[in-house]
Amino acid sequence: MITAKIVGTGSWLPKKTVTNADLEKVLDTSDEWIVSRTGIRQRHVIGEQETVSNMATYAAQRALSMAGIKAQDLDLIVVGTVTGDVEFPAVACLVQGNLGASRAFAYDVRAVCSGFVFALSNALAYHQCGRVKRSLVIGVDALTRTLDWTDRSVAILFGDGAGAAVLVSDEEEGHGVFSTHLRSDGALWDLIYYPGEEGRHPCSGVKLEGGRFLRMCGNKTFKVAVSELANITLEALAANHMGIDEITWVIPHQANRRIIDAVGKRLGMPAEKFLVNIDRVANTSAASIPIMLDEANRQQKFASGDVLLLCAFGSGLAWGAALIRW
Ligand code: UT7
């Protein structure tokens, strides 16, 4: 069976950082509360003149350069994002234009914080059926543009950035991205949502209040996140007749350090296997997993044959996992 091997990774973070100390000055919060409840110490925030498509392009250029592949040779670009610079066209098309990837077809996947894993799963399917040979998968978001900066329950949580991976088709059995597992539960849509200016309640059609801001019921989301991230991990392993000890590294969505720790405990996995950068970047939505993947890859953490588990969770609700043999 054809799989897809990751041959290059890249990431990009905006220059501007906002520390917990900066937030203490404008919100009724404290560094102590934020660190102990979330593990976050700072976040990168997109500037007025910066764009989501440019962040994605910079991450992609780094990934292509590592892969030694020209943009013109790409067959497919899939971007996980919900914060495009314009409502349409897709960020993927803007990136394609920036890169000059004229042979590729390009589109976005809207799975919010799970965007990268959903996009990766999409790309893998095209590789598996032989439709593409080289693909570029990106996760990018600027959720800070959706925040009410006076609402301490969400303003402390998010940051912006982009991460990318270049994949090539590979026929070596069990290598590369070899298994993806996706789930969603639309009945819980209102645990995290962003109505936008014209957002309406999906049942009544009544215009939603506070349309310009992201809304989240953090507490309930936390509980579902812990149990479903553990469940999807077990599902991915069972589908491949693998045991928990066979996972070398976990790259979890970076939403809350306590969620990551709780998932580790539930699965009986040592904390050292979980790669975490939430302290420096906060929750970057679809970018969170590929940024961590790129940072760890550039630190040469992965050895040939290592098994990586990527697991994501977020608004939708939507969650998923991907298994990769490096
Ligand atoms: O990426 C998408 C997926 N997102 C998630 O998975 C997020 C999941 N949820 C969470 O990470 C956590 O629920 C939060 C970090 C958002 C909140 O932590 P929590 O431990 O669940 O706190 P809470 O919402 O239960 O609030 C506890 C208290 C409340 O005060 P009272 O009512 O006990 O007096 C809040 O008003 O903490 C208060 N609080 C704060 N205090 C200081 C809430 N936010 C803050 C804050 N600073 N920033």
Side-chain angles (χ1 to χ4, degrees):
M1 157 97 99
I2 301 171
T3 60
K5 200 157 134 186
I6 294 178
V7 291
T9 58
S11 56
W12 177 265
L13 293 165
K15 257 210 185 85
K16 183 181 168 191
T17 55
V18 174
T19 64
N20 292 352
D22 295 329
L23 292 177
E24 275 178 342
K25 290 179 199 146
V26 291
L27 285 171
D28 178 16
T29 190
S30 66
D31 176 58
E32 193 280 327
W33 192 96
I34 302 171
V35 173
S36 64
R37 296 293 181 113
T38 69
I40 297 166
R41 293 180 186 275
Q42 67 161 35
R43 63 288 290 145
H44 290 253
V45 174
I46 194 166
E48 284 277 316
Q49 308 296 322
E50 288 179 290
T51 65
V52 164
S53 51
N54 279 347
M55 289 200 299
T57 304
Y58 301 145
Q61 284 166 335
R62 290 177 170 188
L64 285 165
S65 158
M66 185 190 284
I69 285 177
K70 292 196 198 84
Q72 296 90 319
D73 292 332
L74 289 170
D75 304 311
L76 165 69
I77 301 174
V78 197
V79 177
T81 190
V82 287
T83 47
D85 304 314
V86 288
E87 287 293 327
F88 56 80
V91 171
C93 293
L94 305 178
V95 171
Q96 177 192 20
N98 288 344
L99 294 174
S102 49
R103 285 187 50 247
F105 61 102
Y107 60 92
D108 290 353
V109 165
R110 293 175 62 86
V112 204
C113 294
S114 297
F116 182 78
V117 170
F118 274 62
L120 187 67
S121 184
N122 247 250
L124 176 64
Y126 280 116
H127 281 278
Q128 284 173 330
C129 71
R131 184 79 195 278
V132 309
K133 285 200 167 24
R134 295 176 203 86
S135 68
L136 170 65
V137 181
I138 301 173
V140 61
D141 265 316
L143 278 188
T144 65
R145 286 190 170 152
T146 70
L147 298 179
D148 174 358
W149 283 96
T150 66
D151 177 356
R152 67 179 183 175
S153 71
V154 289
I156 59 147
L157 292 175
F158 295 95
D160 305 322
V166 174
L167 281 79
V168 295
S169 293
D170 185 22
E171 293 193 21
E172 202 176 342
E173 188 66 34
H175 270 71
V177 187
F178 62 91
S179 195
T180 61
H181 303 264
L182 308 179
R183 289 273 180 276
S184 42
D185 183 354
L188 299 177
W189 71 271
D190 57 354
L191 290 189
I192 320 174
Y193 66 98
Y194 172 61
E197 291 294 346
E198 294 304 319
R200 289 176 185 274
H201 192 283
C203 301
S204 64
V206 172
K207 200 163 176 194
L208 288 157
E209 294 298 320
R212 284 177 43 234
F213 301 123
L214 179 149
R215 301 280 160 203
M216 178 167 76
C217 182
N219 220 285
K220 283 189 190 159
T221 307
F222 188 109
K223 289 176 190 144
V224 188
V226 173
S227 67
E228 295 303 350
L229 284 168
N231 290 342
I232 200 87
T233 299
L234 295 175
E235 179 187 318
L237 290 172
N240 292 282
H241 311 290
M242 291 171 69
I244 204 99
D245 294 343
E246 289 177 72
I247 297 174
T248 323
W249 301 106
V250 183
I251 302 184
H253 172 48
Q254 317 274 322
N256 187 319
R257 174 85 224 200
R258 288 187 299 130
I259 294 180
I260 296 169
D261 292 345
V263 170
K265 254 196 199 125
R266 201 172 266 227
L267 293 169
M269 289 181 81
E272 307 80 67
K273 287 196 173 187
F274 287 78
L275 298 176
V276 179
N277 62 3
I278 191 170
D279 54 325
R280 288 179 290 109
V281 304
N283 180 348
T284 55
S285 185
S288 117
I289 286 178
I291 290 173
M292 186 68 255
L293 176 72
D294 180 51
E295 289 183 357
N297 190 22
R298 282 170 195 272
Q299 289 161 12
Q300 302 187 324
K301 278 223 182 289
F302 310 136
S304 174
D306 278 2
V307 174
L308 276 55
L309 170 84
L310 318 185
C311 55
F313 183 90
S315 172
L317 297 177
W319 60 98
L323 283 168
I324 300 168
R325 194 176 305 276
W326 204 255

